[in-house]
Amino acid sequence: MGYLIWFRASSGAWDVPSVIRSTRMIRSELVAALAERAEVTKKDADAILAAFAETVGEVVAKGDEKITIPGFLSFERTHRAAREGRNPATGEAMTIPAGYSVKVSAGSKLKEAAKG
């Protein structure tokens, strides 16, 4: 089990459980935590998490919208211009083509929770 950080909408505060056993939470642990907090089955929580990930991916792929969950996270597609780089194996100069990337920004409440 990894870090479990929950937002309590009623109090507007972040809650970190006292038992933290590792530094990484895997999907099944996240699904279990969501199911417990939302009082739904793990199957339903997994479906919600999958739908969330799919929706974010589709919106970011389109690139014309920014997804914002106030106080938590925002996701947006950004454009990277072509640039010069070097092949690390040979040191030869090369052009890295233009492309797209994803910008994920932490919201204010998540930033506060990270401070401890």
Side-chain angles (χ1 to χ4, degrees), residues 29-96:
E29 293 169 339
L30 177 59
V31 167
L34 289 171
E36 182 180 331
R37 294 291 278 183
E39 296 178 358
V40 297
T41 66
K42 287 182 184 180
K43 183 176 180 180
D44 289 343
D46 188 54
I48 291 167
L49 183 59
F52 175 75
E54 189 175 313
T55 302
V56 169
E58 289 172 359
V59 171
V60 168
K62 280 194 251 177
D64 57 349
E65 293 181 71
K66 178 179 181 177
I67 296 177
T68 301
I69 304 169
F72 183 58
L73 289 172
S74 65
F75 304 87
E76 68 180 309
R77 182 168 114 170
T78 59
H79 182 266
R80 287 189 301 181
R83 61 197 185 281
E84 289 296 315
R86 295 217 172 260
N87 179 330
T90 65
E92 179 183 346
M94 58 187 281
T95 300
I96 301 170

Short mmCIF file of all heavy atoms in Angstrom, two decimals, residues 29-96:
data_model
loop_
_atom_site.label_atom_id
_atom_site.label_comp_id
_atom_site.label_asym_id
_atom_site.label_seq_id
_atom_site.Cartn_x
_atom_site.Cartn_y
_atom_site.Cartn_z
N GLU A 29 -4.61 -0.84 -5.56
CA GLU A 29 -4.72 -0.18 -4.27
C GLU A 29 -5.53 1.12 -4.38
O GLU A 29 -6.33 1.43 -3.49
CB GLU A 29 -3.33 0.11 -3.70
CG GLU A 29 -2.57 -1.14 -3.34
CD GLU A 29 -1.11 -0.88 -3.03
OE1 GLU A 29 -0.56 0.15 -3.46
OE2 GLU A 29 -0.52 -1.73 -2.36
N LEU A 30 -5.33 1.84 -5.47
CA LEU A 30 -6.10 3.05 -5.70
C LEU A 30 -7.58 2.71 -5.86
O LEU A 30 -8.45 3.37 -5.29
CB LEU A 30 -5.58 3.80 -6.92
CG LEU A 30 -6.35 5.07 -7.31
CD1 LEU A 30 -6.37 6.08 -6.18
CD2 LEU A 30 -5.75 5.67 -8.57
N VAL A 31 -7.87 1.68 -6.64
CA VAL A 31 -9.26 1.25 -6.84
C VAL A 31 -9.89 0.86 -5.50
O VAL A 31 -11.02 1.25 -5.20
CB VAL A 31 -9.34 0.09 -7.86
CG1 VAL A 31 -10.70 -0.57 -7.84
CG2 VAL A 31 -9.00 0.60 -9.26
N ALA A 32 -9.16 0.12 -4.68
CA ALA A 32 -9.68 -0.29 -3.37
C ALA A 32 -9.95 0.92 -2.48
O ALA A 32 -10.98 0.99 -1.80
CB ALA A 32 -8.69 -1.24 -2.69
N ALA A 33 -9.04 1.90 -2.49
CA ALA A 33 -9.22 3.10 -1.68
C ALA A 33 -10.42 3.92 -2.18
O ALA A 33 -11.21 4.42 -1.37
CB ALA A 33 -7.95 3.95 -1.71
N LEU A 34 -10.56 4.04 -3.50
CA LEU A 34 -11.70 4.76 -4.06
C LEU A 34 -13.02 4.08 -3.71
O LEU A 34 -13.99 4.72 -3.34
CB LEU A 34 -11.58 4.86 -5.59
CG LEU A 34 -10.51 5.81 -6.13
CD1 LEU A 34 -10.37 5.63 -7.63
CD2 LEU A 34 -10.84 7.24 -5.78
N ALA A 35 -13.03 2.75 -3.82
CA ALA A 35 -14.23 1.98 -3.52
C ALA A 35 -14.64 2.18 -2.06
O ALA A 35 -15.82 2.38 -1.75
CB ALA A 35 -14.01 0.50 -3.82
N GLU A 36 -13.66 2.15 -1.18
CA GLU A 36 -13.94 2.32 0.25
C GLU A 36 -14.47 3.72 0.55
O GLU A 36 -15.46 3.89 1.25
CB GLU A 36 -12.67 2.05 1.06
CG GLU A 36 -12.88 2.15 2.55
CD GLU A 36 -11.60 1.88 3.33
OE1 GLU A 36 -10.75 1.12 2.84
OE2 GLU A 36 -11.46 2.45 4.42
N ARG A 37 -13.80 4.74 -0.01
CA ARG A 37 -14.19 6.13 0.27
C ARG A 37 -15.55 6.47 -0.32
O ARG A 37 -16.33 7.19 0.28
CB ARG A 37 -13.15 7.09 -0.30
CG ARG A 37 -11.81 7.00 0.38
CD ARG A 37 -11.87 7.50 1.76
NE ARG A 37 -11.78 8.94 1.75
CZ ARG A 37 -11.74 9.68 2.82
NH1 ARG A 37 -11.79 9.12 4.00
NH2 ARG A 37 -11.67 10.97 2.73
N ALA A 38 -15.83 5.96 -1.53
CA ALA A 38 -17.09 6.29 -2.21
C ALA A 38 -18.21 5.31 -1.85
O ALA A 38 -19.34 5.49 -2.31
CB ALA A 38 -16.87 6.30 -3.72
N GLU A 39 -17.86 4.29 -1.09
CA GLU A 39 -18.81 3.26 -0.68
C GLU A 39 -19.48 2.61 -1.90
O GLU A 39 -20.71 2.50 -1.98
CB GLU A 39 -19.85 3.83 0.29
CG GLU A 39 -19.23 4.30 1.59
CD GLU A 39 -20.22 4.91 2.55
OE1 GLU A 39 -21.41 5.01 2.22
OE2 GLU A 39 -19.78 5.29 3.65
N VAL A 40 -18.63 2.21 -2.87
CA VAL A 40 -19.08 1.47 -4.04
C VAL A 40 -18.23 0.21 -4.15
O VAL A 40 -17.25 0.05 -3.42
CB VAL A 40 -18.94 2.32 -5.34
CG1 VAL A 40 -19.83 3.55 -5.27
CG2 VAL A 40 -17.50 2.72 -5.60
N THR A 41 -18.59 -0.66 -5.07
CA THR A 41 -17.80 -1.88 -5.25
C THR A 41 -16.48 -1.55 -5.93
O THR A 41 -16.35 -0.51 -6.59
CB THR A 41 -18.56 -2.92 -6.10
OG1 THR A 41 -18.70 -2.38 -7.43
CG2 THR A 41 -19.91 -3.25 -5.51
N LYS A 42 -15.51 -2.45 -5.80
CA LYS A 42 -14.23 -2.26 -6.48
C LYS A 42 -14.43 -2.25 -7.99
O LYS A 42 -13.75 -1.51 -8.70
CB LYS A 42 -13.25 -3.36 -6.08
CG LYS A 42 -12.72 -3.21 -4.67
CD LYS A 42 -11.72 -4.30 -4.34
CE LYS A 42 -11.26 -4.21 -2.91
NZ LYS A 42 -10.30 -5.25 -2.57
N LYS A 43 -15.37 -3.06 -8.47
CA LYS A 43 -15.65 -3.12 -9.91
C LYS A 43 -16.14 -1.75 -10.40
O LYS A 43 -15.70 -1.26 -11.44
CB LYS A 43 -16.69 -4.19 -10.19
CG LYS A 43 -16.99 -4.39 -11.65
CD LYS A 43 -17.97 -5.53 -11.87
CE LYS A 43 -18.25 -5.71 -13.35
NZ LYS A 43 -19.18 -6.81 -13.59
N ASP A 44 -17.05 -1.13 -9.64
CA ASP A 44 -17.55 0.19 -10.02
C ASP A 44 -16.45 1.24 -9.94
O ASP A 44 -16.34 2.10 -10.81
CB ASP A 44 -18.71 0.60 -9.12
CG ASP A 44 -19.98 -0.20 -9.39
OD1 ASP A 44 -20.07 -0.84 -10.46
OD2 ASP A 44 -20.88 -0.19 -8.52
N ALA A 45 -15.64 1.19 -8.89
CA ALA A 45 -14.53 2.15 -8.74
C ALA A 45 -13.54 2.00 -9.89
O ALA A 45 -13.05 3.00 -10.42
CB ALA A 45 -13.84 1.94 -7.40
N ASP A 46 -13.25 0.76 -10.29
CA ASP A 46 -12.34 0.53 -11.40
C ASP A 46 -12.91 1.08 -12.70
O ASP A 46 -12.19 1.68 -13.50
CB ASP A 46 -12.03 -0.96 -11.53
CG ASP A 46 -10.93 -1.22 -12.54
OD1 ASP A 46 -9.84 -0.62 -12.41
OD2 ASP A 46 -11.17 -2.01 -13.49
N ALA A 47 -14.22 0.90 -12.90
CA ALA A 47 -14.87 1.41 -14.10
C ALA A 47 -14.80 2.94 -14.13
O ALA A 47 -14.57 3.54 -15.19
CB ALA A 47 -16.31 0.94 -14.16
N ILE A 48 -15.00 3.57 -12.99
CA ILE A 48 -14.94 5.03 -12.91
C ILE A 48 -13.52 5.53 -13.19
O ILE A 48 -13.32 6.48 -13.94
CB ILE A 48 -15.43 5.53 -11.54
CG1 ILE A 48 -16.93 5.27 -11.42
CG2 ILE A 48 -15.09 7.00 -11.32
CD1 ILE A 48 -17.48 5.42 -10.03
N LEU A 49 -12.53 4.86 -12.62
CA LEU A 49 -11.14 5.25 -12.85
C LEU A 49 -10.77 5.08 -14.32
O LEU A 49 -10.13 5.94 -14.92
CB LEU A 49 -10.20 4.43 -11.96
CG LEU A 49 -8.72 4.78 -12.05
CD1 LEU A 49 -8.46 6.23 -11.67
CD2 LEU A 49 -7.92 3.85 -11.15
N ALA A 50 -11.21 3.97 -14.93
CA ALA A 50 -10.93 3.72 -16.35
C ALA A 50 -11.61 4.78 -17.23
O ALA A 50 -11.01 5.29 -18.18
CB ALA A 50 -11.39 2.33 -16.74
N ALA A 51 -12.85 5.12 -16.89
CA ALA A 51 -13.57 6.14 -17.66
C ALA A 51 -12.90 7.50 -17.53
O ALA A 51 -12.79 8.25 -18.51
CB ALA A 51 -15.02 6.20 -17.19
N PHE A 52 -12.43 7.82 -16.32
CA PHE A 52 -11.73 9.08 -16.10
C PHE A 52 -10.46 9.14 -16.96
O PHE A 52 -10.23 10.13 -17.66
CB PHE A 52 -11.37 9.23 -14.62
CG PHE A 52 -10.53 10.44 -14.32
CD1 PHE A 52 -11.09 11.70 -14.32
CD2 PHE A 52 -9.18 10.32 -14.04
CE1 PHE A 52 -10.32 12.82 -14.04
CE2 PHE A 52 -8.40 11.42 -13.77
CZ PHE A 52 -8.96 12.68 -13.76
N ALA A 53 -9.66 8.09 -16.91
CA ALA A 53 -8.41 8.06 -17.68
C ALA A 53 -8.69 8.15 -19.18
O ALA A 53 -8.00 8.87 -19.92
CB ALA A 53 -7.63 6.79 -17.37
N GLU A 54 -9.71 7.45 -19.65
CA GLU A 54 -10.07 7.47 -21.07
C GLU A 54 -10.54 8.86 -21.49
O GLU A 54 -10.15 9.37 -22.54
CB GLU A 54 -11.16 6.44 -21.32
CG GLU A 54 -11.46 6.23 -22.79
CD GLU A 54 -12.46 5.10 -22.99
OE1 GLU A 54 -12.28 4.03 -22.39
OE2 GLU A 54 -13.42 5.32 -23.76
N THR A 55 -11.36 9.49 -20.67
CA THR A 55 -11.87 10.82 -20.97
C THR A 55 -10.75 11.85 -21.02
O THR A 55 -10.67 12.66 -21.95
CB THR A 55 -12.94 11.24 -19.94
OG1 THR A 55 -13.98 10.27 -19.95
CG2 THR A 55 -13.51 12.61 -20.26
N VAL A 56 -9.86 11.81 -20.04
CA VAL A 56 -8.72 12.73 -20.03
C VAL A 56 -7.87 12.51 -21.28
O VAL A 56 -7.47 13.48 -21.94
CB VAL A 56 -7.88 12.57 -18.75
CG1 VAL A 56 -6.57 13.34 -18.86
CG2 VAL A 56 -8.65 13.04 -17.53
N GLY A 57 -7.61 11.27 -21.62
CA GLY A 57 -6.82 10.96 -22.81
C GLY A 57 -7.45 11.49 -24.09
O GLY A 57 -6.77 12.05 -24.95
N GLU A 58 -8.76 11.34 -24.22
CA GLU A 58 -9.46 11.82 -25.42
C GLU A 58 -9.41 13.34 -25.51
O GLU A 58 -9.17 13.89 -26.59
CB GLU A 58 -10.91 11.34 -25.40
CG GLU A 58 -11.06 9.85 -25.66
CD GLU A 58 -12.49 9.36 -25.45
OE1 GLU A 58 -13.38 10.17 -25.08
OE2 GLU A 58 -12.71 8.15 -25.66
N VAL A 59 -9.65 14.02 -24.41
CA VAL A 59 -9.64 15.48 -24.42
C VAL A 59 -8.24 16.01 -24.71
O VAL A 59 -8.06 16.93 -25.51
CB VAL A 59 -10.19 16.04 -23.08
CG1 VAL A 59 -9.99 17.55 -22.99
CG2 VAL A 59 -11.66 15.69 -22.93
N VAL A 60 -7.23 15.41 -24.10
CA VAL A 60 -5.85 15.84 -24.34
C VAL A 60 -5.45 15.55 -25.79
O VAL A 60 -4.77 16.36 -26.42
CB VAL A 60 -4.88 15.15 -23.35
CG1 VAL A 60 -3.44 15.35 -23.76
CG2 VAL A 60 -5.10 15.70 -21.94
N ALA A 61 -5.90 14.42 -26.34
CA ALA A 61 -5.57 14.08 -27.74
C ALA A 61 -6.15 15.12 -28.70
O ALA A 61 -5.51 15.46 -29.69
CB ALA A 61 -6.09 12.69 -28.07
N LYS A 62 -7.35 15.61 -28.41
CA LYS A 62 -7.95 16.64 -29.27
C LYS A 62 -7.16 17.93 -29.18
O LYS A 62 -6.97 18.61 -30.18
CB LYS A 62 -9.40 16.92 -28.85
CG LYS A 62 -10.38 15.90 -29.36
CD LYS A 62 -11.79 16.45 -29.21
CE LYS A 62 -12.51 15.72 -28.12
NZ LYS A 62 -13.85 16.24 -27.86
N GLY A 63 -6.73 18.28 -27.99
CA GLY A 63 -5.87 19.43 -27.80
C GLY A 63 -6.55 20.78 -27.77
O GLY A 63 -5.90 21.80 -27.64
N ASP A 64 -7.88 20.82 -27.86
CA ASP A 64 -8.54 22.12 -27.89
C ASP A 64 -9.14 22.53 -26.55
O ASP A 64 -9.70 23.60 -26.42
CB ASP A 64 -9.62 22.15 -28.97
CG ASP A 64 -10.67 21.05 -28.79
OD1 ASP A 64 -10.45 20.15 -27.97
OD2 ASP A 64 -11.69 21.09 -29.49
N GLU A 65 -8.99 21.67 -25.53
CA GLU A 65 -9.53 21.98 -24.22
C GLU A 65 -8.51 21.68 -23.13
O GLU A 65 -7.62 20.87 -23.32
CB GLU A 65 -10.77 21.14 -23.92
CG GLU A 65 -11.97 21.43 -24.79
CD GLU A 65 -13.14 20.56 -24.40
OE1 GLU A 65 -13.70 20.81 -23.32
OE2 GLU A 65 -13.47 19.65 -25.16
N LYS A 66 -8.70 22.31 -22.00
CA LYS A 66 -7.91 22.04 -20.81
C LYS A 66 -8.86 21.47 -19.77
O LYS A 66 -9.95 21.98 -19.58
CB LYS A 66 -7.28 23.34 -20.29
CG LYS A 66 -6.48 23.20 -19.03
CD LYS A 66 -5.89 24.54 -18.61
CE LYS A 66 -5.07 24.41 -17.35
NZ LYS A 66 -4.43 25.68 -16.98
N ILE A 67 -8.46 20.39 -19.12
CA ILE A 67 -9.27 19.80 -18.05
C ILE A 67 -8.75 20.33 -16.73
O ILE A 67 -7.55 20.23 -16.44
CB ILE A 67 -9.18 18.27 -18.06
CG1 ILE A 67 -9.75 17.71 -19.34
CG2 ILE A 67 -9.89 17.69 -16.85
CD1 ILE A 67 -9.62 16.21 -19.46
N THR A 68 -9.65 20.88 -15.92
CA THR A 68 -9.25 21.39 -14.62
C THR A 68 -10.17 20.83 -13.54
O THR A 68 -11.38 20.90 -13.66
CB THR A 68 -9.34 22.93 -14.59
OG1 THR A 68 -8.49 23.45 -15.61
CG2 THR A 68 -8.89 23.48 -13.25
N ILE A 69 -9.56 20.25 -12.52
CA ILE A 69 -10.27 19.83 -11.33
C ILE A 69 -9.78 20.80 -10.25
O ILE A 69 -8.67 20.65 -9.75
CB ILE A 69 -9.96 18.37 -10.96
CG1 ILE A 69 -10.28 17.45 -12.14
CG2 ILE A 69 -10.72 17.96 -9.71
CD1 ILE A 69 -9.77 16.03 -11.98
N PRO A 70 -10.60 21.82 -9.93
CA PRO A 70 -10.15 22.88 -9.05
C PRO A 70 -9.53 22.37 -7.74
O PRO A 70 -10.09 21.52 -7.07
CB PRO A 70 -11.42 23.69 -8.77
CG PRO A 70 -12.27 23.44 -9.99
CD PRO A 70 -11.99 22.01 -10.36
N GLY A 71 -8.35 22.89 -7.45
CA GLY A 71 -7.64 22.53 -6.23
C GLY A 71 -6.86 21.24 -6.32
O GLY A 71 -6.07 20.92 -5.45
N PHE A 72 -7.06 20.46 -7.41
CA PHE A 72 -6.42 19.16 -7.49
C PHE A 72 -5.43 19.09 -8.64
O PHE A 72 -4.23 19.13 -8.42
CB PHE A 72 -7.48 18.06 -7.62
CG PHE A 72 -6.92 16.68 -7.63
CD1 PHE A 72 -6.16 16.20 -6.59
CD2 PHE A 72 -7.17 15.83 -8.70
CE1 PHE A 72 -5.63 14.91 -6.61
CE2 PHE A 72 -6.66 14.55 -8.72
CZ PHE A 72 -5.90 14.09 -7.68
N LEU A 73 -5.91 18.97 -9.87
CA LEU A 73 -5.03 18.83 -11.03
C LEU A 73 -5.61 19.53 -12.25
O LEU A 73 -6.82 19.73 -12.34
CB LEU A 73 -4.85 17.36 -11.42
CG LEU A 73 -4.03 16.46 -10.53
CD1 LEU A 73 -4.15 15.02 -11.01
CD2 LEU A 73 -2.57 16.87 -10.54
N SER A 74 -4.74 19.83 -13.20
CA SER A 74 -5.19 20.26 -14.52
C SER A 74 -4.33 19.54 -15.56
O SER A 74 -3.17 19.22 -15.31
CB SER A 74 -5.11 21.78 -14.69
OG SER A 74 -3.78 22.21 -14.63
N PHE A 75 -4.96 19.25 -16.70
CA PHE A 75 -4.30 18.54 -17.79
C PHE A 75 -4.49 19.37 -19.06
O PHE A 75 -5.60 19.82 -19.33
CB PHE A 75 -4.95 17.18 -18.06
CG PHE A 75 -5.02 16.27 -16.87
CD1 PHE A 75 -6.08 16.33 -15.98
CD2 PHE A 75 -4.03 15.33 -16.65
CE1 PHE A 75 -6.17 15.48 -14.90
CE2 PHE A 75 -4.11 14.47 -15.56
CZ PHE A 75 -5.17 14.55 -14.69
N GLU A 76 -3.43 19.53 -19.84
CA GLU A 76 -3.57 20.19 -21.13
C GLU A 76 -2.48 19.74 -22.09
O GLU A 76 -1.40 19.34 -21.68
CB GLU A 76 -3.55 21.71 -20.99
CG GLU A 76 -2.23 22.31 -20.57
CD GLU A 76 -2.28 23.82 -20.45
OE1 GLU A 76 -2.73 24.48 -21.40
OE2 GLU A 76 -1.88 24.32 -19.40
N ARG A 77 -2.80 19.77 -23.37
CA ARG A 77 -1.84 19.41 -24.40
C ARG A 77 -1.03 20.65 -24.75
O ARG A 77 -1.58 21.73 -24.90
CB ARG A 77 -2.57 18.89 -25.64
CG ARG A 77 -1.62 18.45 -26.73
CD ARG A 77 -2.38 17.69 -27.78
NE ARG A 77 -2.38 18.42 -29.02
CZ ARG A 77 -2.79 17.91 -30.16
NH1 ARG A 77 -3.30 16.71 -30.20
NH2 ARG A 77 -2.75 18.63 -31.25
N THR A 78 0.28 20.48 -24.85
CA THR A 78 1.15 21.59 -25.20
C THR A 78 1.95 21.23 -26.45
O THR A 78 2.19 20.06 -26.74
CB THR A 78 2.14 21.92 -24.06
OG1 THR A 78 2.93 20.77 -23.78
CG2 THR A 78 1.40 22.35 -22.81
N HIS A 79 2.35 22.25 -27.18
CA HIS A 79 3.13 22.05 -28.40
C HIS A 79 4.60 22.31 -28.10
O HIS A 79 4.95 23.29 -27.44
CB HIS A 79 2.66 23.00 -29.50
CG HIS A 79 3.39 22.81 -30.79
ND1 HIS A 79 4.49 23.54 -31.12
CD2 HIS A 79 3.18 21.94 -31.81
CE1 HIS A 79 4.94 23.15 -32.30
NE2 HIS A 79 4.15 22.19 -32.74
N ARG A 80 5.45 21.40 -28.56
CA ARG A 80 6.89 21.61 -28.43
C ARG A 80 7.46 21.90 -29.81
O ARG A 80 7.24 21.12 -30.75
CB ARG A 80 7.57 20.37 -27.85
CG ARG A 80 7.30 20.17 -26.38
CD ARG A 80 8.15 19.09 -25.81
NE ARG A 80 7.88 17.85 -26.52
CZ ARG A 80 8.45 16.69 -26.26
NH1 ARG A 80 9.35 16.62 -25.31
NH2 ARG A 80 8.15 15.60 -26.92
N ALA A 81 8.18 22.97 -29.93
CA ALA A 81 8.77 23.36 -31.20
C ALA A 81 9.94 22.43 -31.54
O ALA A 81 10.53 21.79 -30.67
CB ALA A 81 9.26 24.80 -31.12
N ALA A 82 10.26 22.37 -32.82
CA ALA A 82 11.44 21.61 -33.25
C ALA A 82 12.67 22.24 -32.63
O ALA A 82 12.73 23.46 -32.40
CB ALA A 82 11.54 21.63 -34.77
N ARG A 83 13.64 21.43 -32.33
CA ARG A 83 14.85 21.96 -31.69
C ARG A 83 16.05 21.11 -32.06
O ARG A 83 15.92 19.99 -32.53
CB ARG A 83 14.66 22.02 -30.19
CG ARG A 83 14.40 20.67 -29.56
CD ARG A 83 13.82 20.82 -28.15
NE ARG A 83 13.67 19.56 -27.47
CZ ARG A 83 12.68 18.69 -27.66
NH1 ARG A 83 11.74 18.97 -28.54
NH2 ARG A 83 12.62 17.57 -26.99
N GLU A 84 17.22 21.67 -31.81
CA GLU A 84 18.46 20.95 -32.06
C GLU A 84 18.84 20.15 -30.82
O GLU A 84 18.67 20.62 -29.69
CB GLU A 84 19.59 21.93 -32.40
CG GLU A 84 19.45 22.58 -33.76
CD GLU A 84 19.52 21.58 -34.90
OE1 GLU A 84 20.40 20.69 -34.89
OE2 GLU A 84 18.66 21.66 -35.80
N GLY A 85 19.32 18.97 -31.03
CA GLY A 85 19.78 18.13 -29.93
C GLY A 85 21.02 17.38 -30.34
O GLY A 85 21.56 17.59 -31.43
N ARG A 86 21.48 16.48 -29.50
CA ARG A 86 22.66 15.68 -29.80
C ARG A 86 22.35 14.22 -29.55
O ARG A 86 21.68 13.87 -28.59
CB ARG A 86 23.84 16.09 -28.93
CG ARG A 86 24.31 17.49 -29.20
CD ARG A 86 25.82 17.57 -29.11
NE ARG A 86 26.27 18.87 -29.54
CZ ARG A 86 26.77 19.11 -30.75
NH1 ARG A 86 26.89 18.15 -31.62
NH2 ARG A 86 27.18 20.31 -31.06
N ASN A 87 22.87 13.37 -30.43
CA ASN A 87 22.76 11.94 -30.23
C ASN A 87 23.69 11.60 -29.07
O ASN A 87 24.90 11.83 -29.15
CB ASN A 87 23.18 11.20 -31.51
CG ASN A 87 23.12 9.71 -31.38
OD1 ASN A 87 23.30 9.15 -30.30
ND2 ASN A 87 22.88 9.05 -32.50
N PRO A 88 23.17 11.04 -27.97
CA PRO A 88 24.03 10.80 -26.81
C PRO A 88 25.12 9.75 -27.06
O PRO A 88 26.16 9.78 -26.43
CB PRO A 88 23.07 10.33 -25.73
CG PRO A 88 21.81 9.99 -26.41
CD PRO A 88 21.78 10.69 -27.73
N ALA A 89 24.89 8.86 -28.01
CA ALA A 89 25.88 7.81 -28.28
C ALA A 89 27.05 8.34 -29.11
O ALA A 89 28.19 7.99 -28.87
CB ALA A 89 25.23 6.63 -28.99
N THR A 90 26.73 9.21 -30.09
CA THR A 90 27.78 9.67 -31.01
C THR A 90 28.16 11.13 -30.82
O THR A 90 29.20 11.56 -31.29
CB THR A 90 27.33 9.48 -32.46
OG1 THR A 90 26.20 10.33 -32.71
CG2 THR A 90 26.97 8.03 -32.74
N GLY A 91 27.30 11.90 -30.18
CA GLY A 91 27.56 13.33 -30.02
C GLY A 91 27.18 14.12 -31.26
O GLY A 91 27.35 15.33 -31.30
N GLU A 92 26.67 13.45 -32.28
CA GLU A 92 26.31 14.10 -33.53
C GLU A 92 25.08 15.00 -33.34
O GLU A 92 24.11 14.61 -32.68
CB GLU A 92 26.00 13.03 -34.58
CG GLU A 92 25.59 13.56 -35.92
CD GLU A 92 25.24 12.42 -36.88
OE1 GLU A 92 25.56 11.26 -36.58
OE2 GLU A 92 24.63 12.73 -37.90
N ALA A 93 25.11 16.19 -33.93
CA ALA A 93 23.97 17.11 -33.86
C ALA A 93 22.82 16.55 -34.68
O ALA A 93 23.02 15.94 -35.73
CB ALA A 93 24.37 18.48 -34.38
N MET A 94 21.61 16.74 -34.18
CA MET A 94 20.43 16.26 -34.90
C MET A 94 19.25 17.19 -34.59
O MET A 94 19.25 17.90 -33.59
CB MET A 94 20.10 14.83 -34.51
CG MET A 94 19.85 14.63 -33.02
SD MET A 94 19.64 12.93 -32.53
CE MET A 94 17.99 12.62 -33.01
N THR A 95 18.27 17.18 -35.48
CA THR A 95 17.07 17.98 -35.27
C THR A 95 15.99 17.10 -34.66
O THR A 95 15.66 16.04 -35.19
CB THR A 95 16.57 18.57 -36.60
OG1 THR A 95 17.59 19.39 -37.15
CG2 THR A 95 15.31 19.40 -36.39
N ILE A 96 15.46 17.54 -33.54
CA ILE A 96 14.35 16.84 -32.89
C ILE A 96 13.08 17.49 -33.42
O ILE A 96 12.90 18.71 -33.30
CB ILE A 96 14.43 16.96 -31.36
CG1 ILE A 96 15.75 16.37 -30.87
CG2 ILE A 96 13.24 16.28 -30.70
CD1 ILE A 96 16.06 16.65 -29.43
#
